[in-house]
Amino acid sequence: MNRDQPLNTRIELAGVPLASPITLLSGCVGFCEELIHLEGFDFSSVGAIFLKGTTLEARRGNPPPRVAETCGGMLNAIGLQNPGARHVVDVILPTIQHLPTRFFANIAGSSVEDYGEVARIFDNSPVDGIEVNISCPNVKEGGAAFGSDPRIAARVVDEVKRATSKPVITKLSPNVTDITQVARAVMDAGTDAISAINTVMGLAIDLKNRTPKLGNGQGGLSGPAIKPVALLHVWRIHQIAAARGIPIVGQGGITTAGDAMEFILVGATAVGLGTALFRNPMASAAILAGMTDWLRHFGADNFGQLKGTLRWPT
Ligand SMILES: Cc1cc2nc3c(=O)[nH]c(=O)nc-3n(C[C@H](O)[C@H](O)[C@H](O)COP(=O)(O)O)c2cc1C
């Protein structure tokens, strides 16, 4: 096999052409404040960047500590600290929109209406699409996460779709009994793509002090520890998303090219790097190179040919 033969790393996500299937995940590169100063950072290896979770009003976030290392992962409870949607669009986006990659906003809210208002603000901005984080508490209606009830998840997506003509990507929470019910509901509501999975709820304990390690008590687990959970969720979502042509951004614990390829095999069109960036913010270039080696290994010309080709035992 000729290693020098160029392979097609391009993909399309909800109508948006990406130069690479690798995305950088929300909350893991902020608003690119540090990335733009990172010497030698290879933007050509990054198909898109999901910006930090943004709400209508600015939020101060949770009390520290906000992150704790755990076995094979990391627990976080940032509490959606952000400067508010208007500030992101008016002040931050003009400083990063020239970068040679695509950007998706990541929006959150305390009520269904909040999501619509934030989406409207981003609709009138240069972002390429809007990712909807439905793992936040529905403060106005009892406090359970929007994403834990398929009907409420669908209402959020419906509200966002009405507020924007940009592609909408719904980010699903693994903290539910049956993720396919939520996936089906948000697809019925018109989502253009799905991101899976968000973090898995967990608790880390400071034994000597008999306290949680996080200032918020509980938090969301990410990193390699959640990869098997994420792979199964993506595979199950793929069983219903494929027939509707809805692409999936697979994520949860990817640190190597092999990890990323596993997500392609279970049905992901694009993959996301999150926690891995805390150890190596430059990881995307090596992972993309490794992924193209896997393409050659399988005799494929592009990632789409391998999508969903896991050989499930019959
Ligand atoms: C510190 C931190 C902050 C995060 N903030 C957000 C956020 O604002 N919005 C969101 O949808 N997901 C957020 N996430 C979840 C990630 O985008 C990603 O879905 C998750 O961490 C799983 O991928 P990973 O195991 O590769 O990190 C955050 C994760 C971490 C670790």
Side-chain angles (χ1 to χ4, degrees):
M1 219 174 299
N2 179 5
R3 273 213 69 176
D4 300 327
Q5 187 187 330
L7 293 172
N8 181 6
T9 61
R10 304 194 145 271
I11 59 134
E12 195 182 282
L13 180 64
V16 181
L18 309 189
S20 146
I22 298 180
T23 68
L24 307 187
L25 296 175
S26 182
C28 300
V29 285
F31 293 103
C32 300
E33 308 88 331
E34 291 169 349
L35 214 56
I36 46 177
H37 301 297
L38 204 57
E39 204 171 314
F41 183 80
D42 177 15
F43 277 98
S44 68
S45 62
V46 177
I49 294 177
F50 288 91
L51 297 173
K52 185 166 181 18
T54 303
T55 50
L56 190 57
E57 308 294 345
R59 288 200 192 176
R60 298 166 69 93
N62 287 327
R66 292 171 168 188
V67 293
E69 205 168 325
T70 59
C71 189
M74 179 171 123
L75 205 65
N76 89 80
I78 308 295
L80 287 172
Q81 180 187 353
N82 78 93
R86 202 61 273 162
H87 181 89
V88 173
V89 169
D90 293 344
V91 179
I92 297 179
L93 284 180
T95 67
I96 58 172
Q97 67 191 72
H98 64 281
L99 296 171
T101 186
R102 301 280 183 174
F103 289 103
F104 293 99
N106 176 285
I107 68 169
S110 310
S111 68
V112 173
E113 297 74 27
D114 266 9
Y115 281 92
E117 285 199 50
V118 182
R120 246 182 301 279
I121 294 172
F122 278 108
D123 186 54
N124 198 11
S125 86
V127 298
D128 294 288
I130 298 178
E131 183 178 57
V132 188
N133 175 7
I134 54 173
S135 302
C136 332
N138 181 357
V139 173
K140 213 168 147 185
E141 296 173 60
F146 295 95
S148 62
D149 180 331
R151 282 164 308 171
I152 297 181
R155 270 176 52 207
V156 172
V157 173
D158 182 59
E159 184 83 11
V160 172
K161 283 294 288 181
R162 284 171 201 277
T164 181
S165 54
K166 292 187 191 280
V168 171
I169 304 174
T170 308
K171 185 161 178 177
L172 301 188
S173 166
N175 306 308
V176 293
T177 309
D178 182 358
I179 203 166
T180 61
Q181 285 188 15
V182 189
R184 206 171 267 117
V186 298
M187 286 192 266
D188 287 345
T191 195
D192 301 290
I194 283 180
S195 277
I197 58 174
N198 210 323
T199 54
V200 179
M201 289 314 295
L203 174 66
I205 292 177
D206 181 332
L207 183 57
K208 278 191 185 145
N209 285 324
R210 278 195 282 170
T211 57
K213 283 187 176 172
L214 295 181
N216 183 55
Q218 64 189 32
L221 183 64
S222 62
I226 70 167
K227 194 186 82 174
V229 178
L231 284 171
L232 183 59
H233 281 311
V234 172
W235 176 244
R236 294 188 66 221
I237 296 164
H238 171 67
Q239 306 309 310
I240 49 176
R244 303 185 188 212
I246 301 287
I248 304 170
V249 185
Q251 59 199 270
I254 297 176
T255 48
T256 67
D259 294 337
M261 291 309 294
E262 291 177 15
F263 276 88
I264 304 276
L265 293 191
V266 293
T269 293
V271 294
L273 305 182
T275 302
L277 301 171
F278 288 78
R279 181 161 291 162
N280 178 11
M282 312 270 236
S284 53
I287 291 180
L288 182 61
M291 288 177 78
T292 56
D293 284 347
W294 278 106
L295 275 190
R296 288 191 183 87
H297 172 87
F298 289 121
D301 306 321
N302 61 69
F303 293 105
Q305 288 172 357
L306 295 172
K307 182 180 132 180
T309 61
L310 178 71
R311 294 175 178 158
W312 191 264
T314 48

